Amino acid sequence: MKKYLVVIALISLFASCSVGKEEQERQIEEVKTGWKFTKGEVENGEAVNFDDSKWETVRVPHDWAIYGPFDSKNDAQSKKVVADGEKKRKLRLGRTAGLPYMGIGWYRKSFEVVENNADKKLNVEFDGAMSHAKVYLNGNFVGEWPYGYTSFSFDISKFSKVGENVLAVRLENKPQSSRWYPGAGLYRNVRLVYTNKAHVKHWGTNITTPQVSEKMAEVKIKTTVVGSDKCTLLTEIYDSNKLLVATKESESISGDEKELEQSLQVKNPQFWSIETPVIYTVLSKVIREGKILDVYKSSFGVRSFKFTSNDGLHLNGKRLQVQGVCMHHDLGPLGSAVNISALHRQLVILKGMGCNAIRTSHNSPTPELLSLCDTMGFLVMDEAFDEWKKGKNKNGYTHLWDDWAEKDLMALIHRDRNHPSVFMWSVGNEILEQFTDDGWKRAKFLVDIAHREDSSRPVTIGMNREAPALNNFAAQFDLKGWNYHTHLYPWLKETHPDWSFIASETQSTVSSRGYFDLDDVPRKHYVRENLQCSDYALDYCNWSNTPDVGFAMLDDNPFVAGEFVWTGFDYLGEPSPYNLQWPTKNSYFGIVDLCGFPKSVYYLYKARWSKENVLHILPHWNWDQTKVKTVPVHVFTNFNSAELFVNGKSYGVRTKNPKEVYERYRLVWDDVKYEPGEVKVVAFDENGKTAMESSIKTASEPYALQLVSKYAKIKADGESLSFVEVNVVDKDGNFCPTANLSIKFSVEGAGTFHAAGNGNSTDITPFQSNVRNCFNGKCLVMLQSSEKAGTISLTATSDKLKSANFEVTTH
């Protein structure tokens, strides 16, 4: 845990490399507190003298819809999903989580411009606003940006004044505009940026490393400067220890806006890689007559990579298997409101599984995610769109395509092109144009934009079925991404031997943490009355497959660069295979549940992806002996063979069998006689010697609550979170895997109860409720710090159980 805590400190360090006091001409103000908010249309909501005293006071990032209530009528969608092979419309309940994201919302924020900034340029930056944002300052319309995932900036200098100013934002989310929960509101960060008239343009640096060796790295930097006539540009590169390693100053600049290209050399560079994600910092200084007018900070990594048609990805000259997951942007019980503590926790959990790549499905991510991936060593498929002109949703991107597609893609690339983690651009997911004769023209349009704006990365897309390989659509892309359809890869390779491939979306296995159907056979789109999916990792959807089938495809087709599994975490909305039933509010696809608790399948991936020894036994061993006579036991392990014991009795040795797909990656003992007690597995190394042991025990009756957290110390900044795991245990401290009890939480001290969840898709209790049922023995509480240092005290109580307490220190 400690090494990842360092990561957050490093992000702050890179954002504030020491510069002299006289150099701090660019002022950046995070606009987080003091926002006023109301839901619904408001006449003259942008007016300076408008009375917003009765509006709610909120902190940004803010998601107005996550507070609910859940309701099946919220955005119920009658849809025929072509990508799933459907022939007729079906009424989908919970497709966008049954949360009220639709409608209009207004935000207002008063801020002061001091006299010293009277002659400065002033920009307002939004990392994202959901959606159809219209921005006003002092009653004047400034600009708009409809796509809720795109970051954008407006120059508000001509509308600002010394003294009090009023910033207003109107947002509108239309029904049937998304296939998952999009969130609502100013759900990402907002900033005010003051600069001199001579400054580096917003997203104004483009940093590449075209030549890389152990002795030297060529760093090519294109910098766009504005209002910089008769200025010079001084560019400095600092290493991860903040030591100056390269510098270059331009000739005198002429003209109002100009792009300057500089080439610098870094001797004996430290490479950016998955294992050693070393970050360099660039300071771009605009200077006139010896005075520094602007300092613009960027970061980059020294690395080289390429994809080949024969053996996939090579990073810094070494082959690297992409072990990736797709991630939607919501943060479970937090909704879509960005929180760096929650993002960091997700990546720590995924890193622990051996994951090394993230696909930002299916939209531009929050920039904090990319900064974390830079410093923690993740590759990123940076994705722009889920639909183009040919729409999937009644009010989707189809209405924006003509006027905004180029603007949105350019914004994504300009913002993200310096991140070393980003190793490809994806311009779409299962786009309907792939099935048309002229869809390739729109594909080429986007690919040409990406190549024009950044020629250093390949452009890809998530395709499905055979059609795009036959109609010139797939041919437009540098790297061919295919979703599912594992049987196509041998044919694709045979017909297009020069193409490079990545499995852009795989598996879609569905499971519910801790729930086991003892009929352990692969089940396609199987539904149960309790609206759960089995945790044996054998349930899958109409279009998809189990992990075992996906692993075999990759092992049998090594030319595929790797995979992005659907999905890393459960997410709000899209509750297949129960998208026609209610209540089901979130997906079942995750390797990890909505609250960050690993499902059994986590250990199947960990056994394949991680260098750690893995020996995980499933299912649990708490069954009703009057009803259950035999239990199938599976072991997820990276050892080749193991022996199973129940209360000391051997059930024999199992060895992985490469000829049978469901014996190739897991060890299985069918029909193990159930009797309470201990299940033990002994794994053997390649010489037949005992290498590792693991066991599980039958728990007795629930006796106490247990609170556990790796987040006992957090910052007193008003937004950092502590994640506290709540377990039900018996009198001996054994975990009770079938407990589903009501638990009440109370909080005192220097923080607040922020949210709670349990990973159960059928539980529609508001996340903000301090009363929560555990689900199969567990639930999660999120505590948020105040801005005052101290102690947060959490107490958990439940009828007939021993209560528990936990303290979090804020500093």
Side-chain angles (χ1 to χ4, degrees), residues 602-620:
Y602 179 94
Y603 300 96
L604 187 59
Y605 284 100
K606 184 173 183 176
R608 179 174 174 83
W609 287 354
S610 174
K611 295 178 181 178
E612 298 179 23
N613 290 336
V614 177
L615 192 62
H616 181 76
I617 305 168
L618 57 148
H620 62 74

Side-chain angles (χ1 to χ4, degrees), residues 132-133 143-147 150 152 154 385 397 399-411 445-446 449:
H132 293 274
E144 62 182 333
W145 207 290
Y147 191 37
T150 297
F152 58 95
F154 293 130
F385 306 114
Y397 199 83
H399 301 287
L400 305 179
W401 169 265
D402 290 338
D403 296 327
W404 290 94
E406 182 170 9
K407 297 174 187 176
D408 284 321
L409 183 56
M410 285 178 62
F445 167 69
L446 294 177
I449 293 169

Side-chain angles (χ1 to χ4, degrees), residues 255-547:
D256 182 61
E257 180 172 327
K258 191 167 185 178
E259 182 183 80
L260 303 175
E261 183 173 319
Q262 296 172 310
S263 182
L264 296 85
Q265 285 73 45
V266 174
K267 294 181 180 179
N268 304 314
Q270 295 177 288
F271 290 169
W272 186 94
S273 68
I274 299 300
E275 297 81 13
T276 58
V278 177
I279 299 295
Y280 286 83
T281 301
V282 173
L283 299 185
S284 304
K285 301 180 178 180
V286 179
I287 302 173
R288 181 185 290 140
E289 297 178 352
K291 182 178 180 181
I292 298 176
L293 301 178
D294 189 31
V295 180
Y296 184 86
K297 297 164 189 157
S298 314
S299 60
F300 73 99
V302 175
R303 80 310 185 239
S304 64
F305 67 91
K306 66 177 181 179
F307 288 89
T308 73
S309 59
N310 292 324
D311 60 350
L313 172 65
H314 292 251
L315 179 63
N316 300 326
K318 299 179 181 178
R319 191 192 187 282
L320 178 69
Q321 184 77 359
V322 177
Q323 300 171 169
V325 298
C326 302
M327 292 287 284
H328 270 310
H329 72 296
D330 76 73
L331 295 168
L334 301 177
S336 64
V338 168
N339 183 281
I340 197 169
S341 299
L343 288 168
H344 176 258
R345 175 175 177 257
Q346 284 188 336
L347 292 177
V348 169
I349 292 167
L350 293 172
K351 196 80 170 181
M353 181 178 68
C355 175
N356 64 17
I358 305 294
R359 177 190 180 203
T360 67
S361 46
H362 304 292
N363 47 259
S364 174
T366 187
E368 290 87 350
L369 175 64
L370 298 182
S371 295
L372 286 166
C373 288
D374 287 346
T375 54
M376 294 176 68
F378 284 87
L379 298 170
V380 176
M381 178 196 285
D382 204 346
E383 192 155 86
F385 306 114
D386 184 53
E387 62 179 277
W388 296 348
K389 178 70 171 178
K390 196 171 177 62
K392 299 178 183 178
N393 301 287
K394 179 181 178 181
N395 291 310
Y397 199 83
T398 177
H399 301 287
L400 305 179
W401 169 265
D402 290 338
D403 296 327
W404 290 94
E406 182 170 9
K407 297 174 187 176
D408 284 321
L409 183 56
M410 285 178 62
L412 170 72
I413 294 172
H414 288 186
R415 190 196 69 175
D416 298 347
R417 61 191 172 189
N418 295 334
H419 287 281
S421 58
V422 176
F423 75 133
M424 67 179 81
W425 305 114
S426 172
V427 295
N429 169 69
E430 297 179 357
I431 297 300
L432 297 183
E433 278 86 344
Q434 69 179 309
F435 304 120
T436 65
D437 292 337
D438 61 351
W440 66 271
K441 295 178 182 178
R442 288 184 185 143
K444 185 178 185 301
F445 167 69
L446 294 177
V447 171
D448 286 348
I449 293 169
H451 286 165
R452 181 190 74 205
E453 302 301 323
D454 175 36
S455 60
S456 70
R457 293 175 175 86
V459 184
T460 190
I461 193 170
M463 297 173 281
N464 52 340
R465 304 191 187 177
E466 301 90 338
L470 301 171
N471 62 12
N472 201 33
F473 188 88
Q476 305 308 311
F477 299 95
D478 307 310
L479 179 65
K480 322 303 179 186
W482 248 271
N483 295 359
Y484 313 106
H485 299 282
T486 57
H487 64 284
L488 290 180
Y489 283 100
W491 171 74
L492 288 167
K493 181 63 175 175
E494 181 181 356
T495 54
H496 300 283
D498 58 331
W499 282 5
S500 298
F501 297 94
I502 191 158
S504 44
E505 190 171 314
T506 62
Q507 274 66 295
S508 273
T509 306
V510 288
S511 57
S512 303
R513 175 188 52 78
Y515 168 76
F516 295 92
D517 184 335
L518 296 183
D519 188 1
D520 66 327
V521 295
R523 290 181 179 273
K524 182 177 180 179
H525 225 82
Y526 187 71
V527 296
R528 300 174 177 85
E529 289 185 4
N530 64 0
L531 305 184
Q532 303 295 347
C533 301
S534 179
D535 207 12
Y536 275 109
L538 292 170
D539 286 6
Y540 61 102
C541 293
N542 284 333
W543 63 88
S544 63
N545 51 264
T546 61

